[in-house]
Amino acid sequence: MALGRLMEVCWPELVRYATRQLGDVELARDLVQEVFIRVWERRLTWVPDGSVRAYLYQILRRLVIDEQRKLTVRRQWRKWVTLAGPPRPATPAEEFEAKVLADRFEAAVASLPVRRREVFELVFQRGLTHSETAAVMDISVQTVANQMSAALRTVRQAIKED
């Protein structure tokens, strides 16, 4: 099977690359496994336009960037929790307000046109830069900026509604 052979050849070098980027061998192995899962899932629609090795590194690089962002957020969260001390329980009114706000946010995002929602999710929820989003979606950076601006305007208006 071609995928098995590709894994034999590329697995060690991909794991080394991810380990150098993340400093964690187990996490690197998990990400490389995700690379091959994605290749398998896209096997019927993928049209090779370059080297397979470059394609694998491109997928892995994006996964590593996502993971680095997640790790940064986790570190900042731990630091904030440590400084803030133990949290006090939310009051029923605060819980209700948070639920209403979350519902408005989700509804606003769901109401966005498909392309605008995709841009919003890649930038706002996945943490990609405008340049990375433009590359993923094969659109210009300015289009990403315009779509983000419009999406944020829609979401802000939905959250403000009383």
Side-chain angles (χ1 to χ4, degrees):
M1 169 184 248
L3 183 62
R5 180 69 182 130
L6 186 62
M7 288 176 71
E8 284 177 30
V9 171
C10 296
W11 183 277
E13 68 186 76
L14 292 171
V15 170
R16 277 192 300 276
Y17 169 78
T19 301
R20 280 193 307 271
Q21 299 299 314
L22 299 168
D24 182 339
V25 176
E26 290 305 314
L27 182 56
R29 288 181 183 145
D30 288 346
L31 292 183
V32 172
Q33 182 175 359
E34 179 64 24
V35 167
F36 287 105
I37 289 170
R38 289 184 182 192
V39 167
W40 180 254
E41 289 173 344
R42 298 174 185 157
R43 71 191 180 281
L44 300 176
T45 58
W46 178 52
V47 179
D49 62 349
S51 82
V52 174
R53 182 171 270 132
Y55 179 65
L56 296 174
Y57 271 100
Q58 181 183 40
I59 296 170
L60 181 58
R61 180 180 172 273
R62 290 180 180 145
L63 291 171
V64 166
I65 289 169
D66 283 347
E67 195 59 40
Q68 287 171 329
R69 287 190 178 115
K70 289 176 192 173
L71 292 170
T72 299
V73 168
R74 287 182 194 128
R75 274 188 236 112
Q76 290 171 343
W77 178 253
R78 273 189 235 115
K79 183 178 175 183
W80 181 82
V81 167
T82 302
L83 294 174
R88 67 168 178 78
T91 66
E94 289 170 335
E95 287 178 2
F96 178 75
E97 287 176 21
K99 172 95 172 80
V100 168
L101 186 63
D103 289 347
R104 285 183 186 167
F105 176 82
E106 289 176 18
V109 171
S111 75
L112 295 171
V114 174
R115 186 173 179 179
R116 189 168 295 160
R117 184 173 53 242
E118 185 177 2
V119 168
F120 182 79
E121 288 175 352
L122 288 172
V123 173
F124 186 77
Q125 295 173 320
R126 295 219 178 244
L128 270 64
T129 65
H130 286 199
S131 298
E132 291 168 335
T133 301
V136 168
M137 295 182 66
D138 196 27
I139 57 178
S140 74
V141 174
Q142 186 59 50
T143 301
V144 171
N146 293 344
Q147 293 293 329
M148 262 314 280
S149 179
L152 288 170
R153 192 169 35 255
T154 301
V155 170
R156 284 185 191 118
Q157 287 171 347
I159 289 174
K160 278 193 225 178
E161 290 177 359
D162 285 325

